[in-house]
Structure formats: C-alpha cells, structure tokens
Amino acid sequence: MSVQDYIDKIMKSTIQSTPGQTEFYQAVEEVLITLEPLLKAEPKYDEYNILERIVIPERQIIFRVVWMDDAGKIQTNIGYRVQFNSAIGPYKGGLRFHPSVNLGIIKFLGFEQIFKNSLTGLPIGGAKGGSNFDPKGKSDAEVMRFCQAFMTELSKHIGETRDVPAGDIGVGGREIGYMFGQYKRLSGKFEGILTGKGVNWGGSLTRTEATGFGSVYFAENILNKQGDSLKGKIATVSGSGNVAIYTIQKLYDMEAKPVTCSDSRGMIYDENGIDLDTLKLIKEVHRNSLEEYAKIHPESTYIPTHKYPENTNAVWSVPCDIAFPSATQNELNLNDIKNLHKNGCILVCEGANMPSTPEAIEYILENNILYGPAKAANAGGVATSQLEMSQNASMQKWSFAEVDSKLRTIMKSIFDLSYETSKEFDDEGNLMMGANIAGFRKVADSMIDQGAV
Ligand code: GLU
C-alpha cells in the first residue's frame, strides 16, 4: 500500500468510527499529511500499525457533573478526560471549561498534546479534559461547587505518575485551586496532581506567564534565523486570557508593540500599544468585557464581534508585522490570512491550539509567510508545567528567573529540533512539518519499543 493510501485509510476509518468529531479530523489530517516523508522513509511505522493506534485514545472518560447553583437549583454538565497516549510519560494536558466543549474538541486537543509534549523533550504523555460548563457569569461559590463536583469524579483517574491535568480556556488559578482543594480532601494527600497551582502551595513561578512568554521566544527564534528580531515590530494579538496577556507583556520586553487584543464579545485596537495594566485589571481582577478598556482609553477603538465584516476576524484586519493568534481554534481563516498578507504581515506565531484553518495554513506555506505552528510555539506552557512537576517531586522551589531561563532554553531547543527535522526531510524552514515529524517520531519509536500495547 502506498503511503498516501495508508493515510487515506486511517482518515476514513477515523471518520467512520468517530462520527461528528470535525475538529479532531482536522487535527489528525494535518499531522498525517505532514508525516508523509517520514512514512516513506521508514516503513516500520506501517508495519507496527502505529497510525492505527495513535489516533485512538488509550482511554476516554465521560462523566456527569452535578452541582447546585446559588438559587439552590441542581445543574448538570458533562465532564471529559481523554487519556490519549502514555508512551513517553504520564498523561499531561489541560482542562477546558467552555460551553463549546464536546468529545471531538477534547480529542483534537488531546491528540495535539501528544506531539506538543513530545517536542518539549520532557517525559510527558498526552491528554486533555474539560467540561461544557461556562465559568463566565457564575459566582465564585458556583465555580467552586462545580469544580468540587468535577474533581470528585476526576480524582479517580489522575495521579502524580498517572495523569496530571492543568488549565486551559476557562480554567485558571481559581479553578485549579478549588479542584486541588477537593482532591486533597478526598485523598487526604498533598500531591502534585495538578499544575498551574498557586505559588504558595506547590505552584511554579513563571507557570502563569509561560505559554505567552514561550510563544514570543519562539517568534524571536524564527526571526533570528532570518537575521531579524522582534525589536520595533508591530504585533496583533487575539484573545485576552492567560496566553494573550503574557504574550503582550513579553512583546514589550522585546521592544515590540502589541496593538490589539480581543474577547468573545469584541476587539480592541490601540495604536499606542495595548495598556497592559488596564488589560490585567479588566481580565484578571474584574473579569469583565474589553468594552471597559475603551472607556478607560477613549483613544482606542472597540469593535464588537457582531460588527466584524462577514467571515473575518477584525483583529487580523489591523496592519502588523507579526500576528499572534492566542484565543482559540479556527480563529484565523483564509480571508484573515489574506488580509494579514496584504497588510505586510511576515510571521504568524500560534499561541492558541489549532488557531489557523487548513486553508489559512496552506496560504501561509504557499506565500512563504513565516509560521510558528501551535504544537511548537505554544509548548512553553506545558513544558513549564513539567518543571512544576519536577519541583514538586524533588520538593524544591526555583526562582522566577531560573524557570524563565529554562523555558527560554526549551523554546530554543524546540525551534532547533523542528528546524533541523525540516531540513532532514528536504523542506528547510517548514516548521509545521519539522515539528510534527519530530514530535511523532519519539512517541512512535517508544510505542514500538513497548510492544503491542
Ligand atoms: N492547556 C495548555 C496546553 O494547551 C497547558 C497544558 C498543561 O500545562 O498541562 O498546552
């Protein structure tokens, strides 16, 4: 069977056996297509049935989460944990609380996590979980009761050397705290079963900042390779969560100017550069909409989502040198990348998971726009989670500067590995291919070593 037929066969059986999981198919297809040169060079992956195995999670846990709201009414949500692959280490990956969450979304995230985690060079397997619960608009007490109910079931499936969840969209320090407290209450043990913990109780310094910082370090590596740097560059950033906020902060450190941010209700364009303190106040303290930013900074422009031109994201219509999609999946489509290109954007660096549609990626590659693919560019978050696990296991606490410097080194090594791998397969600079092949190869070889499991 030709490699193309092998890939087609896997895609077909995936679609047949997991109906309706569109985001998952998208993630699988992107990886399989880029593996083509490796599969041609190495028939062993076909021989050992690696593709057949790697697209099926080792275990999927789906559970009911029942909690009581402030009015005394019983509410019901669905909880998920997909333990995708443990070939190179215990399962590791975040939890997402968002109304859009379903099994297909958790599976796409878990699948990507396998290769991302492998790329970090650290011993962590891939997993993802979450719920269709929406923390937005809920009181702290409601979020706490939900988190406690969620952890009551999840606690049966995780452990320091088994599966270590963390945050993702809708899960930050507050949620991790409530879940950690509940785990401790149930087990009677103070264990590092979650990362992203508070710095007073086992968390690592720099973990909050890590995904955003890492994404900017990755962009700097790409530019350095071209003899360029971030200094003086105008950047557009989408999102206003953890990833976006610390991308903006690090861009200032590197003397670049971030001019946009966004949330589900709209976007801000501030020509003078986004005011980081205002952004943090609105999002981290008030948990409010970005509309508040325009009130504090009347010189900025606020565009509500319903006023975006059809089928475009207004963030990507703002002229920039570099775009940092840092919100969510499929937030940058073909229209958006055409707008960016027309306005002179030279690099797209992905802080979110799978933010560019397949058509947008094709356009990026065809038009030689520099590209930092998500699995490589946003791996700094999970890498720093592993540093948190290391500190927990050895009962140590490293300084902010120490963790930040390790993060920077890890991002450089991810870039170097992706770049070198792209060269090895005669497509120098195609970091998407390089990252996917490098991430896959380590996991696949480990699966072969471990036999029929
Ligand atoms: N949710 C983050 C990611 O997409 C972090 C996961 C973790 O720290 O385990 O990689």
Side-chain angles (χ1 to χ4, degrees), residues 92-95 109 113 116-117 128 164-169 195 207 211 353 378-379 381-383 385:
K92 183 84 198 85
L95 298 169
L109 290 162
Q113 203 81 42
K116 183 198 311 199
N117 293 4
K128 205 83 185 192
V164 184
D168 195 80
I169 294 173
T195 59
R207 174 61 191 91
T211 313
N353 290 314
N378 76 34
V382 74
S385 274

PDB file of all heavy atoms in Angstrom, residues 92-95 109 113 116-117 128 164-169 195 207 211 353 378-379 381-383 385, ligand 1:
ATOM      1  N   LYS A  92      -0.510  14.146  30.350  1.00  0.00           N
ATOM      2  CA  LYS A  92      -0.384  15.547  30.748  1.00  0.00           C
ATOM      3  C   LYS A  92      -1.134  16.403  29.748  1.00  0.00           C
ATOM      4  O   LYS A  92      -1.019  16.208  28.534  1.00  0.00           O
ATOM      5  CB  LYS A  92       1.109  15.942  30.757  1.00  0.00           C
ATOM      6  CG  LYS A  92       1.367  17.360  31.225  1.00  0.00           C
ATOM      7  CD  LYS A  92       1.420  17.439  32.738  1.00  0.00           C
ATOM      8  CE  LYS A  92       1.249  18.848  33.272  1.00  0.00           C
ATOM      9  NZ  LYS A  92      -0.179  19.257  33.434  1.00  0.00           N
ATOM     10  N   GLY A  93      -1.904  17.350  30.254  1.00  0.00           N
ATOM     11  CA  GLY A  93      -2.631  18.264  29.375  1.00  0.00           C
ATOM     12  C   GLY A  93      -3.706  18.968  30.172  1.00  0.00           C
ATOM     13  O   GLY A  93      -4.086  18.531  31.263  1.00  0.00           O
ATOM     14  N   GLY A  94      -4.199  20.051  29.625  1.00  0.00           N
ATOM     15  CA  GLY A  94      -5.092  20.930  30.369  1.00  0.00           C
ATOM     16  C   GLY A  94      -6.537  20.469  30.436  1.00  0.00           C
ATOM     17  O   GLY A  94      -6.935  19.451  29.858  1.00  0.00           O
ATOM     18  N   LEU A  95      -7.309  21.271  31.170  1.00  0.00           N
ATOM     19  CA  LEU A  95      -8.765  21.116  31.257  1.00  0.00           C
ATOM     20  C   LEU A  95      -9.382  22.386  30.696  1.00  0.00           C
ATOM     21  O   LEU A  95      -8.951  23.488  31.051  1.00  0.00           O
ATOM     22  CB  LEU A  95      -9.196  20.959  32.718  1.00  0.00           C
ATOM     23  CG  LEU A  95      -8.649  19.740  33.468  1.00  0.00           C
ATOM     24  CD1 LEU A  95      -8.936  19.870  34.966  1.00  0.00           C
ATOM     25  CD2 LEU A  95      -9.251  18.449  32.916  1.00  0.00           C
ATOM     26  N   LEU A 109      -7.689  18.381  21.010  1.00  0.00           N
ATOM     27  CA  LEU A 109      -6.698  18.977  21.908  1.00  0.00           C
ATOM     28  C   LEU A 109      -5.771  17.906  22.481  1.00  0.00           C
ATOM     29  O   LEU A 109      -4.554  18.096  22.574  1.00  0.00           O
ATOM     30  CB  LEU A 109      -7.413  19.737  23.039  1.00  0.00           C
ATOM     31  CG  LEU A 109      -8.138  21.017  22.595  1.00  0.00           C
ATOM     32  CD1 LEU A 109      -9.169  21.455  23.644  1.00  0.00           C
ATOM     33  CD2 LEU A 109      -7.144  22.143  22.324  1.00  0.00           C
ATOM     34  N   GLN A 113      -1.760  17.427  21.916  1.00  0.00           N
ATOM     35  CA  GLN A 113      -0.936  17.447  23.128  1.00  0.00           C
ATOM     36  C   GLN A 113       0.145  16.357  23.090  1.00  0.00           C
ATOM     37  O   GLN A 113       1.237  16.553  23.609  1.00  0.00           O
ATOM     38  CB  GLN A 113      -1.840  17.265  24.355  1.00  0.00           C
ATOM     39  CG  GLN A 113      -1.250  17.786  25.652  1.00  0.00           C
ATOM     40  CD  GLN A 113      -1.408  19.287  25.845  1.00  0.00           C
ATOM     41  OE1 GLN A 113      -2.453  19.828  25.556  1.00  0.00           O
ATOM     42  NE2 GLN A 113      -0.370  19.955  26.309  1.00  0.00           N
ATOM     43  N   LYS A 116       2.971  17.861  20.958  1.00  0.00           N
ATOM     44  CA  LYS A 116       3.492  19.061  21.620  1.00  0.00           C
ATOM     45  C   LYS A 116       4.363  18.666  22.812  1.00  0.00           C
ATOM     46  O   LYS A 116       5.481  19.138  22.982  1.00  0.00           O
ATOM     47  CB  LYS A 116       2.304  19.908  22.094  1.00  0.00           C
ATOM     48  CG  LYS A 116       2.684  21.216  22.724  1.00  0.00           C
ATOM     49  CD  LYS A 116       1.584  21.852  23.556  1.00  0.00           C
ATOM     50  CE  LYS A 116       0.237  21.936  22.878  1.00  0.00           C
ATOM     51  NZ  LYS A 116      -0.649  22.945  23.533  1.00  0.00           N
ATOM     52  N   ASN A 117       3.825  17.761  23.628  1.00  0.00           N
ATOM     53  CA  ASN A 117       4.549  17.359  24.830  1.00  0.00           C
ATOM     54  C   ASN A 117       5.841  16.641  24.472  1.00  0.00           C
ATOM     55  O   ASN A 117       6.876  16.827  25.118  1.00  0.00           O
ATOM     56  CB  ASN A 117       3.659  16.473  25.707  1.00  0.00           C
ATOM     57  CG  ASN A 117       2.483  17.247  26.285  1.00  0.00           C
ATOM     58  OD1 ASN A 117       2.293  18.420  25.967  1.00  0.00           O
ATOM     59  ND2 ASN A 117       1.677  16.599  27.109  1.00  0.00           N
ATOM     60  N   LYS A 128      -6.175  15.444  27.518  1.00  0.00           N
ATOM     61  CA  LYS A 128      -6.930  16.695  27.636  1.00  0.00           C
ATOM     62  C   LYS A 128      -8.264  16.384  28.283  1.00  0.00           C
ATOM     63  O   LYS A 128      -8.765  15.260  28.192  1.00  0.00           O
ATOM     64  CB  LYS A 128      -7.186  17.302  26.253  1.00  0.00           C
ATOM     65  CG  LYS A 128      -7.394  18.796  26.294  1.00  0.00           C
ATOM     66  CD  LYS A 128      -6.073  19.531  26.313  1.00  0.00           C
ATOM     67  CE  LYS A 128      -6.240  21.006  26.479  1.00  0.00           C
ATOM     68  NZ  LYS A 128      -4.990  21.731  26.206  1.00  0.00           N
ATOM     69  N   VAL A 164      -1.697  14.144  35.031  1.00  0.00           N
ATOM     70  CA  VAL A 164      -1.593  15.430  35.745  1.00  0.00           C
ATOM     71  C   VAL A 164      -2.237  16.545  34.918  1.00  0.00           C
ATOM     72  O   VAL A 164      -1.597  17.131  34.050  1.00  0.00           O
ATOM     73  CB  VAL A 164      -0.105  15.768  36.060  1.00  0.00           C
ATOM     74  CG1 VAL A 164      -0.007  17.046  36.894  1.00  0.00           C
ATOM     75  CG2 VAL A 164       0.576  14.609  36.780  1.00  0.00           C
ATOM     76  N   PRO A 165      -3.519  16.844  35.162  1.00  0.00           N
ATOM     77  CA  PRO A 165      -4.183  17.915  34.412  1.00  0.00           C
ATOM     78  C   PRO A 165      -3.664  19.312  34.792  1.00  0.00           C
ATOM     79  O   PRO A 165      -2.936  19.474  35.773  1.00  0.00           O
ATOM     80  CB  PRO A 165      -5.657  17.767  34.795  1.00  0.00           C
ATOM     81  CG  PRO A 165      -5.789  16.413  35.408  1.00  0.00           C
ATOM     82  CD  PRO A 165      -4.455  16.125  36.033  1.00  0.00           C
ATOM     83  N   ALA A 166      -4.096  20.300  34.012  1.00  0.00           N
ATOM     84  CA  ALA A 166      -3.716  21.704  34.246  1.00  0.00           C
ATOM     85  C   ALA A 166      -4.838  22.573  33.715  1.00  0.00           C
ATOM     86  O   ALA A 166      -5.951  22.082  33.492  1.00  0.00           O
ATOM     87  CB  ALA A 166      -2.404  21.998  33.528  1.00  0.00           C
ATOM     88  N   GLY A 167      -4.564  23.839  33.487  1.00  0.00           N
ATOM     89  CA  GLY A 167      -5.584  24.742  32.956  1.00  0.00           C
ATOM     90  C   GLY A 167      -5.610  24.787  31.443  1.00  0.00           C
ATOM     91  O   GLY A 167      -4.742  24.250  30.768  1.00  0.00           O
ATOM     92  N   ASP A 168      -6.620  25.412  30.924  1.00  0.00           N
ATOM     93  CA  ASP A 168      -6.760  25.753  29.511  1.00  0.00           C
ATOM     94  C   ASP A 168      -7.821  26.864  29.495  1.00  0.00           C
ATOM     95  O   ASP A 168      -8.029  27.516  30.536  1.00  0.00           O
ATOM     96  CB  ASP A 168      -7.181  24.523  28.683  1.00  0.00           C
ATOM     97  CG  ASP A 168      -6.983  24.722  27.176  1.00  0.00           C
ATOM     98  OD1 ASP A 168      -5.853  24.581  26.699  1.00  0.00           O
ATOM     99  OD2 ASP A 168      -7.958  25.046  26.461  1.00  0.00           O
ATOM    100  N   ILE A 169      -8.541  27.050  28.404  1.00  0.00           N
ATOM    101  CA  ILE A 169      -9.569  28.091  28.377  1.00  0.00           C
ATOM    102  C   ILE A 169     -10.561  27.877  29.529  1.00  0.00           C
ATOM    103  O   ILE A 169     -11.047  26.762  29.728  1.00  0.00           O
ATOM    104  CB  ILE A 169     -10.310  28.081  27.017  1.00  0.00           C
ATOM    105  CG1 ILE A 169      -9.341  28.495  25.912  1.00  0.00           C
ATOM    106  CG2 ILE A 169     -11.540  28.990  27.045  1.00  0.00           C
ATOM    107  CD1 ILE A 169      -9.897  28.370  24.506  1.00  0.00           C
ATOM    108  N   THR A 195      -1.105  20.921  37.692  1.00  0.00           N
ATOM    109  CA  THR A 195      -0.130  22.014  37.579  1.00  0.00           C
ATOM    110  C   THR A 195      -0.883  23.309  37.313  1.00  0.00           C
ATOM    111  O   THR A 195      -2.061  23.299  36.954  1.00  0.00           O
ATOM    112  CB  THR A 195       0.918  21.748  36.489  1.00  0.00           C
ATOM    113  OG1 THR A 195       0.241  21.586  35.240  1.00  0.00           O
ATOM    114  CG2 THR A 195       1.754  20.531  36.795  1.00  0.00           C
ATOM    115  N   ARG A 207       4.783  29.838  35.713  1.00  0.00           N
ATOM    116  CA  ARG A 207       3.839  28.984  35.001  1.00  0.00           C
ATOM    117  C   ARG A 207       2.733  29.818  34.356  1.00  0.00           C
ATOM    118  O   ARG A 207       2.335  29.569  33.228  1.00  0.00           O
ATOM    119  CB  ARG A 207       3.230  27.909  35.931  1.00  0.00           C
ATOM    120  CG  ARG A 207       2.122  27.064  35.270  1.00  0.00           C
ATOM    121  CD  ARG A 207       2.656  26.302  34.054  1.00  0.00           C
ATOM    122  NE  ARG A 207       1.648  25.663  33.199  1.00  0.00           N
ATOM    123  CZ  ARG A 207       1.075  26.246  32.143  1.00  0.00           C
ATOM    124  NH1 ARG A 207       1.371  27.489  31.794  1.00  0.00           N
ATOM    125  NH2 ARG A 207       0.202  25.576  31.389  1.00  0.00           N
ATOM    126  N   THR A 211       3.069  30.196  28.684  1.00  0.00           N
ATOM    127  CA  THR A 211       2.637  29.947  27.297  1.00  0.00           C
ATOM    128  C   THR A 211       2.882  31.198  26.451  1.00  0.00           C
ATOM    129  O   THR A 211       3.427  31.132  25.344  1.00  0.00           O
ATOM    130  CB  THR A 211       1.159  29.524  27.238  1.00  0.00           C
ATOM    131  OG1 THR A 211       0.933  28.519  28.224  1.00  0.00           O
ATOM    132  CG2 THR A 211       0.787  28.982  25.873  1.00  0.00           C
ATOM    133  N   ASN A 353      -4.317  26.795  20.455  1.00  0.00           N
ATOM    134  CA  ASN A 353      -4.251  25.472  19.828  1.00  0.00           C
ATOM    135  C   ASN A 353      -5.061  25.461  18.540  1.00  0.00           C
ATOM    136  O   ASN A 353      -6.238  25.822  18.558  1.00  0.00           O
ATOM    137  CB  ASN A 353      -4.790  24.414  20.798  1.00  0.00           C
ATOM    138  CG  ASN A 353      -3.847  24.198  21.974  1.00  0.00           C
ATOM    139  OD1 ASN A 353      -2.639  24.071  21.797  1.00  0.00           O
ATOM    140  ND2 ASN A 353      -4.388  24.211  23.183  1.00  0.00           N
ATOM    141  N   ASN A 378       3.378  27.082  21.166  1.00  0.00           N
ATOM    142  CA  ASN A 378       2.729  27.257  22.474  1.00  0.00           C
ATOM    143  C   ASN A 378       3.098  26.162  23.484  1.00  0.00           C
ATOM    144  O   ASN A 378       2.470  26.027  24.533  1.00  0.00           O
ATOM    145  CB  ASN A 378       1.209  27.444  22.337  1.00  0.00           C
ATOM    146  CG  ASN A 378       0.447  26.166  22.034  1.00  0.00           C
ATOM    147  OD1 ASN A 378       0.804  25.083  22.496  1.00  0.00           O
ATOM    148  ND2 ASN A 378      -0.634  26.291  21.287  1.00  0.00           N
ATOM    149  N   ALA A 379       4.167  25.425  23.181  1.00  0.00           N
ATOM    150  CA  ALA A 379       4.562  24.325  24.071  1.00  0.00           C
ATOM    151  C   ALA A 379       5.199  24.800  25.380  1.00  0.00           C
ATOM    152  O   ALA A 379       5.434  23.996  26.289  1.00  0.00           O
ATOM    153  CB  ALA A 379       5.525  23.385  23.348  1.00  0.00           C
ATOM    154  N   GLY A 381       3.930  26.442  27.771  1.00  0.00           N
ATOM    155  CA  GLY A 381       3.032  26.286  28.914  1.00  0.00           C
ATOM    156  C   GLY A 381       3.175  24.909  29.530  1.00  0.00           C
ATOM    157  O   GLY A 381       3.458  24.762  30.730  1.00  0.00           O
ATOM    158  N   VAL A 382       3.023  23.909  28.696  1.00  0.00           N
ATOM    159  CA  VAL A 382       3.078  22.543  29.230  1.00  0.00           C
ATOM    160  C   VAL A 382       4.501  22.188  29.669  1.00  0.00           C
ATOM    161  O   VAL A 382       4.697  21.452  30.639  1.00  0.00           O
ATOM    162  CB  VAL A 382       2.482  21.528  28.224  1.00  0.00           C
ATOM    163  CG1 VAL A 382       3.408  21.273  27.047  1.00  0.00           C
ATOM    164  CG2 VAL A 382       2.141  20.230  28.932  1.00  0.00           C
ATOM    165  N   ALA A 383       5.496  22.748  28.991  1.00  0.00           N
ATOM    166  CA  ALA A 383       6.883  22.490  29.398  1.00  0.00           C
ATOM    167  C   ALA A 383       7.095  23.007  30.827  1.00  0.00           C
ATOM    168  O   ALA A 383       7.712  22.330  31.662  1.00  0.00           O
ATOM    169  CB  ALA A 383       7.852  23.167  28.440  1.00  0.00           C
ATOM    170  N   SER A 385       4.781  23.401  33.014  1.00  0.00           N
ATOM    171  CA  SER A 385       4.029  22.505  33.893  1.00  0.00           C
ATOM    172  C   SER A 385       4.901  21.332  34.322  1.00  0.00           C
ATOM    173  O   SER A 385       4.865  20.892  35.473  1.00  0.00           O
ATOM    174  CB  SER A 385       2.807  21.940  33.157  1.00  0.00           C
ATOM    175  OG  SER A 385       1.716  22.816  33.249  1.00  0.00           O
TER     176      SER A 385
HETATM  177  N1  GLU B   1      -3.528  23.802  28.192  1.00  0.00           N
HETATM  178  C1  GLU B   1      -2.135  24.021  27.932  1.00  0.00           C
HETATM  179  C2  GLU B   1      -1.784  23.477  26.567  1.00  0.00           C
HETATM  180  O1  GLU B   1      -2.591  23.566  25.664  1.00  0.00           O
HETATM  181  C3  GLU B   1      -1.233  23.537  29.057  1.00  0.00           C
HETATM  182  C4  GLU B   1      -1.344  22.110  29.446  1.00  0.00           C
HETATM  183  C5  GLU B   1      -0.541  21.730  30.687  1.00  0.00           C
HETATM  184  O2  GLU B   1       0.141  22.592  31.245  1.00  0.00           O
HETATM  185  O3  GLU B   1      -0.613  20.570  31.074  1.00  0.00           O
HETATM  186  O4  GLU B   1      -0.709  23.018  26.301  1.00  0.00           O
END
